[in-house]
């Protein structure tokens, strides 16, 4: 565990799962830069923290009852652990943890964005949040200089409003964005970029030609990658328990369900964005018998013994 010194106290932070041998910190220079900047700002109303890697921002700002929006299950587990370690029970309960597929707050007064590695994920997040912004919303992004590009700034400007960057400090940079009333709130453009749907190629078995819908931020979101195609072509047809642990785990999950309707395969991923849809379009032919009740979503354990905890379907 390392100590993160902020204006809101000294915080003992760890990543998840916690490993005493891990020397990597649960924050970086971009988190430090953003928190130093916020010392001179008034944080009132609903504070939304997007893309908080290991909960450093949410833990530091717990007194403001922020809403953390993240696509990473491990990041949210780290956030819960860091809050329990550093904040009171009342402050911990005041922090809401949402996934990127959950409905965001109706109004956002302060938007803090930790720039993700995926530009598509950033685009999807900004499009989802733009209708919740007002002309007075404080919008600040942060990231390392290697993560902030011209395309990143153009995305902020196109979806939210005029954008500028700060000087670099410790190889980190801030993004200052002024909401444009013509692009946010009721005037926000309809979400058209994500999710994307495409048809799978022929020659991959039961899934050939079937439509697949992918969300932003996953690997090869607009096409089937060659590795997954090779896997689907050679997927064994075996009975008994099975687990999917691939980028295209949702596709493989449904292949196994259709091959054996009575089978209950498990699916693992660190992000909810690869979660298989409960109601995909079934293949042509006889409809297989279905188990009673809709599939249930669980984010508590992984079915593989001695594995790192992750989301399980």
């Amino acid at each position: 565990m390392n100590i993160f010194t902020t204006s809101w106290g000294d915080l003992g932070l760890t990543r998840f799962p916690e490993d005493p041998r891990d020397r990597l910190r649960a924050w970086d220079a971009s988190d430090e830069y953003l928190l130093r900047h916020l010392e001179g700002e008034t944080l009132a109303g609903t504070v939304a923290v997007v893309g908080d890697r290991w909960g450093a921002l949410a833990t530091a700002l717990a007194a403001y009852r922020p809403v953390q929006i993240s696509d990473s299950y491990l990041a949210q587990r780290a956030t819960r652990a860091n809050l329990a370690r550093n904040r009171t029970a009342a402050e911990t309960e005041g922090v809401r943890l949402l996934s990127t597929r959950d409905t965001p707050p109706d109004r956002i007064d302060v938007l803090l964005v930790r720039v993700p590695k995926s530009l598509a994920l950033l685009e999807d997040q900004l499009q989802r949040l733009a209708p919740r912004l007002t002309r007075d919303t404080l919008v600040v992004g942060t990231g390392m200089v290697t993560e902030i590009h011209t395309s990143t700034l153009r995305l902020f400007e196109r979806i939210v409003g005029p954008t500028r960057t700060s000087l670099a400090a410790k190889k980190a940079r801030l993004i200052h964005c002024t909401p444009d009333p013509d692009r946010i709130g009721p005037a926000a453009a309809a979400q058209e970029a994500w999710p994307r749907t495409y048809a799978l190629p022929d020659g991959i078995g039961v899934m050939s030609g079937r439509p697949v819908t992918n969300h932003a931020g996953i690997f090869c979101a607009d096409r089937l990658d060659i590795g997954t195609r090779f896997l689907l072509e050679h997927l064994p047809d075996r009975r008994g328990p099975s687990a999917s642990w691939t980028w295209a785990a949702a596709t493989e999950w449904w292949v196994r369900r259709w091959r054996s309707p009575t089978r209950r395969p498990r699916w693992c991923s660190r992000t909810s964005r690869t979660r298989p849809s409960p109601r995909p379009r079934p293949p042509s032919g006889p409809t297989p018998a279905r188990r009673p009740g809709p599939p249930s979503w669980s984010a508590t354990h992984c079915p593989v013994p001695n594995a790192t905890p992750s989301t399980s379907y």
Side-chain angles (χ1 to χ4, degrees):
M1 181 174 63
N2 295 292
I3 303 300
F4 184 25
T5 301
T6 73
S7 297
W8 293 273
D10 294 339
L11 310 174
L13 304 179
T14 62
R15 298 188 174 199
F16 184 88
E18 184 176 353
D19 185 351
R21 300 168 297 176
D22 189 0
R23 297 185 179 182
L24 297 176
R25 302 184 308 180
W27 74 94
D28 59 18
S30 64
D31 298 317
E32 296 176 348
Y33 201 174
L34 177 58
L35 291 176
R36 286 199 306 270
H37 172 76
L38 295 179
E39 294 173 4
E41 299 287 350
T42 300
L43 304 182
T46 302
V47 179
V49 181
V50 180
D52 196 1
R53 298 285 172 85
W54 301 103
L57 298 176
T59 303
L61 303 175
Y64 301 99
R65 305 175 66 86
V67 178
Q68 186 201 67
I69 303 175
S70 173
D71 74 321
S72 171
Y73 172 74
L74 297 184
Q76 293 196 340
R77 285 294 299 269
T79 301
R80 292 191 184 97
N82 288 325
L83 284 169
R85 185 183 300 110
N86 295 279
R87 298 307 187 192
T88 65
E91 290 176 327
T92 300
E93 293 176 358
V95 179
R96 293 174 56 196
L97 304 182
L98 302 179
S99 75
T100 51
R101 294 179 63 179
D102 291 330
T103 302
D106 294 333
R107 175 190 172 101
I108 298 177
D109 300 288
V110 179
L111 176 60
L112 309 176
V113 180
R114 179 63 169 85
V115 175
K117 298 179 181 179
S118 169
L119 192 65
L121 178 57
L122 176 62
E123 178 185 26
D124 183 52
Q125 290 175 331
L126 292 179
Q127 286 182 331
R128 290 174 180 270
L129 298 176
R132 269 73 177 180
L133 305 181
T134 69
R135 63 188 309 164
D136 298 322
T137 299
L138 174 65
V139 180
V140 184
T142 186
M144 305 304 291
V145 293
T146 56
E147 300 170 334
I148 299 177
H149 312 282
T150 302
S151 57
T152 308
L153 304 180
R154 288 176 179 170
L155 206 55
F156 272 91
E157 187 146 2
R158 176 171 62 85
I159 299 175
V160 181
T163 302
R164 61 183 177 86
T165 60
S166 69
L167 296 175
K170 295 184 179 180
K171 299 182 180 181
R173 196 181 295 274
L174 297 181
I175 300 174
H176 301 283
C177 190
T178 303
D180 185 347
D182 294 331
R183 307 177 201 177
I184 61 170
Q191 300 179 27
E192 298 178 353
W194 299 98
R196 294 180 179 176
T197 301
Y198 64 92
L200 292 175
D202 296 329
I204 59 172
V206 69
M207 291 295 290
S208 297
R210 304 300 169 189
V212 171
T213 299
N214 286 335
H215 289 269
I218 67 172
F219 180 66
C220 284
D222 57 351
R223 65 189 185 281
L224 185 67
D225 67 280
I226 189 172
T228 303
R229 175 168 181 160
F230 180 79
L231 176 65
L232 293 177
E233 291 175 356
H234 299 83
L235 197 64
D237 187 9
R238 297 180 179 177
R239 309 301 177 187
S242 63
S244 299
W245 206 316
T246 67
W247 275 104
T251 303
E252 181 189 345
W253 192 90
W254 281 113
V255 169
R256 294 184 182 275
R257 280 298 301 272
W258 280 327
R259 281 185 175 177
S260 179
T262 59
R263 171 184 282 171
R264 195 64 171 174
R266 295 295 183 93
W267 162 84
C268 298
S269 176
R270 291 187 294 180
T271 170
S272 62
R273 305 186 77 81
T274 57
R275 180 173 59 186
S277 170
R279 295 179 177 87
R281 182 179 300 177
S284 58
T287 302
R290 297 186 59 183
R291 295 174 64 91
S296 60
W297 164 249
S298 171
T300 56
H301 73 286
C302 184
V304 180
N306 302 320
T308 300
S310 181
T311 44
S312 172
Y313 193 98

